[in-house]
Amino acid sequence: MTPNHRSKSFFTTLLFSLLSFAVFGGKGSTVKFTVSMENPEQQIFHVVMEFEAKQTSDAVLKMPMWSPGYYQLMDYAEKLDNLVATDANNKILQWEKKGKNSWIIRNAKSKNIRVEYDIKADRQFVANSFLDEEHGYIVPTSVFLHLDGEIKRDAKVTVNPAKNWEDVATGLDVADASKHIFTATDFDVLYDSPILIGNLEELPAFEVNGIPHRFIGYKIGEFDRGKLMQDIKKVVEQASGLIGHIPYKHYTFLAIGPGRGGIEHLNSTTISFEGSEVNSEQGRIRMLSFIAHEYFHHYNVKRIRPIELGPFDYDKGNKTNMLWVSEGLTVYYEYIILNRGGMMSREQVLDTFKGSIKSYETQPGRLFQSLAQASAETWSDGPFGRTEDEFNKTISYYAKGPVVGLILDFLIRHETGNKKSLDDVMRTLYNKYYIKENRGFTEAELKQVCENIAGVSLNEFFDYIYTTQELDYKKYFNYAGLDIDINPVEVPGAYLGINTKMNGDSLVITSVDYDSPAWKAGVRKGGIVLNVNGTTPSQNSIGAIIPDKKAGDILVLDILKSGVSKPTTIALGTKLQRSFDIKPVKNPTELQSAILNNWCR
Ligand SMILES: [Zn+2]
């Protein structure tokens, strides 16, 4: 279908081109890239892009504004410099920058247009390209330009590693391994395939269903390599067993070195990785649940996806209300996968949920923002919610998401006599919308699938998604024969509700608990405490809880704010706290036992 395929007569070629341009917009020929890094200490990737322009007018080149998987605008275009465009006769073409991320190459009518540019790669972060003396990491959305509106062109990438660097690892298909040449069927695939370069270590690969899984990394540290690969194999077996199908031909775990975070891709994932972490039991579970999370994403979000998350709008980002499914349920399945693979006990799983519930329940954001809102507003709030508010008014779908996942799973198991579970929802979404229809699902379709499987209306459950309705833990935990302690218990000492930090000689109020005695007295963050009951305060003299006072005691704080000092009288109170301890009920019914045992071993 590309102009490279020559037909026998001029007429058919012409007709074919006209037809394809008119009907399909034309896929266009291969876009070729060569990436070099001759002086890696300068942290610059040099890129040569070669393409055949449409024979009409200017060519518009674009750099994405974000990377799928990391839902924040990144402004990658700012790192591009020294752009030079030439035509087939080596004539330099004029260009101008338009907007934040477009370059218009004037009169790009020649067949072979060549564009060269530099990308500064000096910020080490999982969603940023990075280069130093020892290794390179390419986030393709930040390095490869595309022709505006021609994302469906295929691409060929040649990587020229720095001197003495041996290895190039990526999920892209290999055209020539010795020359580090790779191909992508279109730019969605290219943009979804990060590249790691350097002297890398590859651990012994394993197969699941005959499909190879590789682990390649930079500076992976000291740990039991065989054991880690056995554990990762169990993760892959459990996750793919749950869905019942593996959609890729090869999968690569790219360990990009110590740091934080990972990003999921179609047949690869980048993970920040420090091997020594897996040497402790806690560290091992943390690392394996992180790996299970990124791996399970190749189903949940890359293929089981909200309708808004594809095709991607690389200019603006794609807003969806359903990141509680894509992220929240992926967190939920981290623990389920580890438990089913024998890497995490039921007690450890329950303890993790207790942690998520506590973190959600102790933030006032739960009274102000629903899960759907947290999802849609992530583009402005950040992945974990806003931090600059007077008090916390946002929630994290990473905390509430897995908790509603647990509730939904118990609910479906209860309503179906333990014959169905959340697994059936995931499988149905995968088979119906990805395999059969090759598209994402709408919010209504998701609800419909859940209700069909549960066999009942789930309006009450979906209120937990679209409103700030308090979660009825007791009811749903009871379905699995579990009891959760939600009784408020008084914390010893008196409650003030102010958190402070010494800044030089000043005691600065860093935050005030929402609805605490201090909050009710009008104290807000940012003020400086000049004195407490007439004496100069130290770091230890006030805090959220004051151990040697009791409820009803009066505190007078002199607080300086905006150049004005004023005394504030606060009647101390009592702080109530819930433990959210989870334990099995006595004498469970047969159904309760079956649900618990089937859910978690
Ligand atoms: Zn995730």
Side-chain angles (χ1 to χ4, degrees):
M1 286 275 292
T2 69
N4 288 343
H5 293 246
R6 308 223 182 268
S7 305
K8 276 176 190 158
S9 82
F10 172 75
F11 178 74
T12 38
T13 311
L14 181 69
L15 183 67
F16 191 67
S17 316
L18 284 175
L19 268 177
S20 65
F21 271 98
V23 180
F24 306 108
K27 184 172 182 271
S29 59
T30 306
V31 180
K32 293 176 196 151
F33 293 98
T34 306
V35 190
S36 315
M37 53 216 82
E38 265 175 41
N39 302 299
E41 71 284 353
Q42 291 175 8
Q43 305 193 290
I44 288 171
F45 287 112
H46 184 69
V47 183
V48 176
M49 175 188 192
E50 294 164 288
F51 60 92
E52 205 168 281
K54 282 182 179 168
Q55 304 295 300
T56 47
S57 61
D58 305 336
V60 179
L61 302 178
K62 281 194 152 185
M63 183 73 92
M65 293 293 290
W66 66 293
S67 244
Y70 189 69
Y71 307 101
Q72 302 293 307
L73 292 179
M74 297 298 285
D75 202 8
Y76 292 128
E78 208 182 66
K79 298 281 187 183
L80 187 150
D81 206 359
N82 303 329
L83 188 141
V84 177
T86 49
D87 66 11
N89 303 318
N90 242 349
K91 182 175 169 273
I92 291 184
L93 301 173
Q94 283 186 23
W95 60 266
E96 60 193 73
K97 181 126 184 246
K98 197 184 154 208
K100 267 197 156 174
N101 64 329
S102 297
W103 290 261
I104 304 172
I105 315 291
R106 296 295 178 200
N107 283 311
K109 289 179 186 168
S110 125
K111 274 211 152 187
N112 301 299
I113 304 291
R114 181 184 163 99
V115 177
E116 297 197 32
Y117 54 90
D118 290 331
I119 298 289
K120 186 83 179 167
D122 56 352
R123 187 182 160 217
Q124 197 158 16
F125 177 60
V126 70
N128 269 94
S129 292
F130 184 74
L131 184 62
D132 67 9
E133 290 88 341
E134 292 185 333
H135 78 305
Y137 168 53
I138 292 177
V139 171
T141 40
S142 72
V143 168
F144 301 117
L145 293 169
H146 62 265
L147 284 145
D148 189 22
E150 298 187 55
I151 218 85
K152 287 294 159 199
R153 284 211 196 194
D154 64 310
K156 190 170 186 176
V157 176
T158 304
V159 179
N160 294 329
K163 208 175 152 201
N164 301 325
W165 291 5
E166 300 283 334
D167 311 300
V168 178
T170 173
L172 287 169
D173 284 336
V174 180
D176 185 330
S178 65
K179 291 183 185 147
H180 309 302
I181 302 175
F182 306 92
T183 57
T185 47
D186 60 37
F187 274 70
D188 283 321
V189 172
L190 177 64
Y191 284 155
D192 203 33
S193 306
I195 304 170
L196 187 63
I197 312 142
N199 291 317
L200 310 175
E201 180 177 346
E202 174 156 14
L203 304 187
F206 61 83
E207 290 192 354
V208 173
N209 293 359
I211 294 164
H213 293 74
R214 305 169 70 195
F215 185 105
I216 308 173
Y218 164 70
K219 271 200 179 163
I220 57 179
E222 289 312 313
F223 60 98
D224 183 340
R225 281 144 166 77
K227 176 91 180 92
L228 179 76
M229 290 310 276
Q230 275 174 15
D231 285 345
I232 296 181
K233 187 178 181 196
K234 285 184 212 157
V235 165
V236 172
E237 285 168 343
Q238 289 303 328
S240 57
L242 193 160
I243 300 296
H245 180 245
I246 299 183
Y248 48 76
K249 292 196 178 70
H250 49 86
Y251 191 94
T252 309
F253 294 91
L254 291 169
I256 61 171
R260 283 186 59 222
I263 296 185
E264 66 278 3
H265 302 284
L266 275 169
N267 69 342
S268 68
T269 181
T270 46
I271 48 169
S272 300
F273 182 86
E274 165 57 65
S276 61
E277 217 187 295
V278 302
N279 296 333
S280 76
E281 174 61 8
Q282 259 199 344
R284 175 172 165 256
I285 288 181
R286 203 167 42 237
M287 183 57 77
L288 289 174
S289 50
F290 167 48
I291 289 174
H293 179 100
E294 299 303 337
Y295 178 74
F296 193 64
H297 262 319
H298 89 76
Y299 292 115
N300 193 27
V301 86
K302 300 309 300 187
R303 295 178 174 92
I304 300 172
R305 65 174 175 81
I307 189 103
E308 297 88 0
L309 292 186
F312 293 117
D313 183 339
Y314 294 104
D315 284 345
K316 290 206 293 278
N318 298 42
K319 232 183 199 188
T320 173
N321 284 331
M322 290 190 274
L323 286 180
W324 69 272
V325 178
S326 303
E327 288 299 341
L329 297 188
T330 300
V331 176
Y332 176 69
Y333 273 109
E334 289 173 25
Y335 313 122
I336 301 301
I337 288 166
L338 257 52
N339 175 266
R340 288 180 190 167
M343 291 167 279
M344 208 174 167
S345 69
R346 181 192 292 169
E347 286 64 35
Q348 287 170 320
V349 172
L350 288 174
D351 222 45
T352 305
F353 281 110
K354 175 181 150 177
S356 296
I357 292 170
K358 252 192 168 164
S359 121
Y360 169 66
E361 289 291 336
T362 48
Q363 295 289 339
R366 75 184 193 285
L367 306 170
F368 297 89
Q369 191 183 47
S370 73
L371 257 180
Q373 285 167 331
S375 174
E377 288 161 22
T378 192
W379 288 95
S380 52
D381 288 357
F384 304 105
R386 288 191 301 274
T387 50
E388 71 278 12
D389 290 341
E390 205 162 47
F391 67 97
N392 161 285
K393 289 180 192 167
T394 55
I395 59 165
S396 162
Y397 42 76
Y398 290 102
K400 188 176 180 181
V403 176
V404 300
L406 180 71
I407 285 176
L408 181 57
D409 204 354
F410 285 169
L411 175 56
I412 294 172
R413 288 171 190 270
H414 173 79
E415 292 295 343
T416 60
N418 197 34
K419 289 195 176 63
K420 301 275 180 190
S421 72
L422 190 57
D423 295 3
D424 293 281
V425 172
M426 301 312 281
R427 271 193 291 274
T428 305
L429 292 173
Y430 181 80
N431 289 322
K432 183 171 165 60
Y433 296 104
Y434 170 65
I435 296 285
K436 260 201 200 134
E437 301 184 23
N438 194 22
R439 66 172 176 96
F441 46 83
T442 65
E443 290 169 69
E445 286 165 343
L446 170 73
K447 184 165 185 254
Q448 193 61 59
V449 167
C450 292
E451 289 187 335
N452 286 349
I453 286 166
V456 292
S457 156
L458 294 179
N459 287 339
E460 187 180 306
F461 171 79
F462 277 91
D463 277 350
Y464 295 148
I465 308 301
Y466 292 101
T467 76
T468 53
Q469 175 69 39
E470 301 256 6
L471 303 174
D472 188 350
Y473 300 107
K474 277 218 172 275
K475 172 177 166 179
Y476 297 101
F477 276 65
N478 187 261
Y479 289 161
L482 294 169
D483 191 22
I484 179 164
D485 188 351
I486 57 168
N487 291 325
V489 175
E490 286 186 8
V491 179
Y495 186 34
L496 172 62
I498 291 179
N499 300 291
T500 58
K501 185 180 82 184
M502 277 313 274
N503 190 356
D505 289 335
S506 305
L507 188 67
V508 180
I509 298 172
T510 51
S511 66
V512 179
D513 295 356
Y514 176 68
D515 225 17
S516 64
W519 177 272
K520 286 177 185 155
V523 183
R524 297 294 182 265
K525 75 173 179 184
I528 293 170
V529 183
L530 298 178
N531 68 61
V532 179
N533 285 353
T535 58
T536 309
S538 69
Q539 175 72 72
N540 297 325
S541 58
I542 58 169
I545 300 286
I546 305 178
D548 58 355
K549 300 248 182 249
K550 58 182 192 309
D553 287 355
I554 300 292
L555 223 53
V556 181
L557 303 185
D558 240 338
I559 298 173
L560 179 71
K561 200 164 186 189
S562 311
V564 183
S565 108
K566 103 176 172 210
T568 304
T569 304
I570 305 167
L572 296 175
T574 305
K575 188 175 170 71
L576 297 174
Q577 201 165 267
R578 293 178 287 174
S579 75
F580 299 105
D581 284 338
I582 304 166
K583 55 177 195 304
V585 297
K586 283 184 193 125
N587 309 317
T589 65
E590 214 172 291
L591 179 60
Q592 285 174 319
S593 297
I595 289 176
L596 183 59
N597 293 329
N598 190 237
W599 169 69
C600 212
R601 301 193 292 174

